Amino acid sequence: MSVSLSRRSFLGVSGALGAMGLVAACSSPGGSTPGGGSTTGGGGATAGLLPTYQAFEGFPPDLGSSNPDVSPGYFSYPAPPTAVTGGAPATSGQAIRALTFTYDPVAPEMGSNALWQNLNEALGAELDLEYTPSADYSARFATTIAGNDLPDLVAVQGQHQQMPAMLAAKFTDLTEHLSGDAVLDYPNLAALPTPSWLGSVYDGKIWGVPVPRSLIGTVLYTRADILEEHGLSLQPESLEEFIEMAKALTDERAGRWAFGQTPFSQMLEVNGIANAWSVDDSGVFTHNGTRPEYEQALADAVALAEAGVVHPDGNAAQNTQRNEWMMAGITAFQIGGYAGWPKFYIQGASIDGFRLTGMLSPAREAGGTMVRTAGNPSSHFSAIAKQDDPERLLEILRVLDWLAAPFGSSEYITRRFGVEGETYNLDGPDPVLTSAGVNQATLPVRYITENSPVIWESQNEQAVHDQFDHQETGLQYTIPNPTVGLYSETAVSNAASAQQALSATQGEILLGNQPVTDWGPAVEAYMSAVGTTIKAEYEEAWAELNG
């Protein structure tokens, strides 16, 4: 097994407890694919199935790592930007319809969106992009699948009932075109990290092109400037030091607390729990909620809350509110996804001495083994609807390859920034969106596919160093999720009520409304209802994937 794969949580706690709930799988570390990140390993079925990784070497970073999972860091945009494709990838003149989602405001329509128009010209075809807010996408996806008029490209987010059968019925098996060395016909797709492809594999076939993400996952964001003012280390070496740090940062009379929410995910890692499932070398799965370390993590989290170091309204607050607390110095830490790191620099631009770092969960005892949950290597994947014309399929693949052009390329600037002088201007070598560009760039092209992740914060070398250092240090401790690339029909279709009951018990324990001893019976009930069946389905799928 490899050192770092993704987290896929199907036992998440909703609302305020989502960031602290039942995170997804734990396994023993092993090797990683040279230059291509990690795979589910073992030399099994994926060894010849996944696309051959071929890194793009044209834009050397300012900060690079020997660990292929660490994103390269750039202090400025490579100059001059260079084209990496042979021109417009579409030649038929047909529009390409794509369905996806967004987390941003709706972009201006094509007729008043210079970035979109310029992108269409570069592609050689009109990109007819349909999208909905992420919160509404599940319903839109279900309606689209049930209908008979599928767009050419459809974002497949998460897992769905009868997933393998649905993919086979509605979409194109891309294995012939992308597996192994076949992907080298699409060099920008070949440069996507190996782990990002795993989520698109079902029944030993590749069903789409991923939207890759950094493997660093959830971050304990840290106001480093506040810790430095208190003379505190930016990385505690033990749980005891972590707790003492939290107490030193808390002054209830002054309206200051260490945490905006109970850091349960950190307590899990402190106790050696990275995710929901673990697997041994013979393919036997264990639900980590049944391990005594999980109950200890619950007890540690409750003790932290009782120590008064968590904002009294934190576990009921929205995440946006907790972000505001950290930026205002009301709290010193905030738990969030790695993708949100850049937004804090915008919010903190007016704060004197502002510095943001990420803190790793310490080992329980100084000198012990640290554990980290890896992030999901992809946000989702884009599947291609069945095509009657083989040439049309190749054209769509060429468009996807163009959209995955790497950071440093002129294609990247076209995709993300648009038209110089209209939607962006240059600050030195760095493209900077104009006010019109800020609105137009919310067009969610990046949720079709995009380049391999990089670290780049314009005019902020310290920020690049801090993110790079966090990845360089943290990714060596990540624990892979053996359920990535596996499918359990029971987990997707029949586990909702049992998951809800288990999550509710966990939530009540963390809020102090139930004793920690209630966890054991709750997880036993979950295993009896669905967990044992899910375990068997994962073991069967693991055996098939690993030969």
Side-chain angles (χ1 to χ4, degrees), residues 47 56 110 113 140 163 184 228 244 319 344 388 480-481 502:
F56 188 86
M110 188 188 303
N113 192 319
R140 178 66 178 274
M163 184 86 158
L184 299 180
E228 289 169 345
E244 291 305 312
N319 209 49
F344 291 118
D388 296 329
N481 179 354
L502 187 59

Side-chain angles (χ1 to χ4, degrees), residues 486-506:
L486 307 184
Y487 180 74
S488 163
E489 184 65 44
T490 300
V492 175
S493 303
N494 301 319
S497 61
Q499 291 169 19
Q500 184 178 13
L502 187 59
S503 297
T505 298
Q506 176 171 288

Side-chain angles (χ1 to χ4, degrees), residues 76-77 420 424-432 456 458-459:
S76 60
Y77 201 84
E420 185 177 0
Y424 78 92
N425 294 311
L426 290 177
D427 181 4
D430 294 342
V432 179
W456 173 54
S458 182
Q459 310 298 320

Side-chain angles (χ1 to χ4, degrees), residues 272-332:
I273 301 284
N275 310 283
W277 293 92
S278 57
V279 63
D280 65 17
D281 292 340
S282 62
V284 175
F285 277 69
T286 299
H287 188 280
N288 285 335
T290 64
R291 294 169 54 186
E293 293 89 347
Y294 200 102
E295 191 164 316
Q296 180 62 57
L298 285 167
D300 290 338
V302 171
L304 266 180
E306 291 177 345
V309 299
V310 179
H311 193 294
D313 301 324
N315 289 333
Q318 297 294 318
N319 209 49
T320 51
Q321 177 67 74
R322 292 193 289 263
N323 289 343
E324 292 172 4
W325 288 339
M326 184 184 74
M327 299 308 296
I330 294 171
T331 60

Side-chain angles (χ1 to χ4, degrees), residues 360-399:
L360 304 177
S361 302
R364 188 171 187 86
E365 306 292 340
T369 301
M370 295 173 67
V371 165
R372 180 173 179 83
T373 301
N376 200 316
S378 65
S379 164
H380 59 284
F381 67 91
S382 290
I384 301 178
K386 289 185 179 295
Q387 302 291 321
D388 296 329
D389 181 0
E391 291 303 316
R392 173 67 168 171
L393 173 60
L394 297 180
E395 180 174 75
I396 294 171
L397 285 170
R398 291 196 301 271
V399 167

Side-chain angles (χ1 to χ4, degrees), residues 404-452:
F407 179 88
S409 66
S410 57
E411 291 88 347
Y412 178 96
I413 291 183
T414 298
R415 185 177 80 242
R416 295 293 295 269
F417 293 91
V419 183
E420 185 177 0
E422 186 169 354
T423 59
Y424 78 92
N425 294 311
L426 290 177
D427 181 4
D430 294 342
V432 179
L433 290 169
T434 63
S435 57
V438 168
N439 293 328
Q440 295 178 30
T442 59
L443 187 73
V445 180
R446 62 189 179 278
Y447 296 128
I448 299 174
T449 190
E450 64 175 348
N451 55 288
S452 183

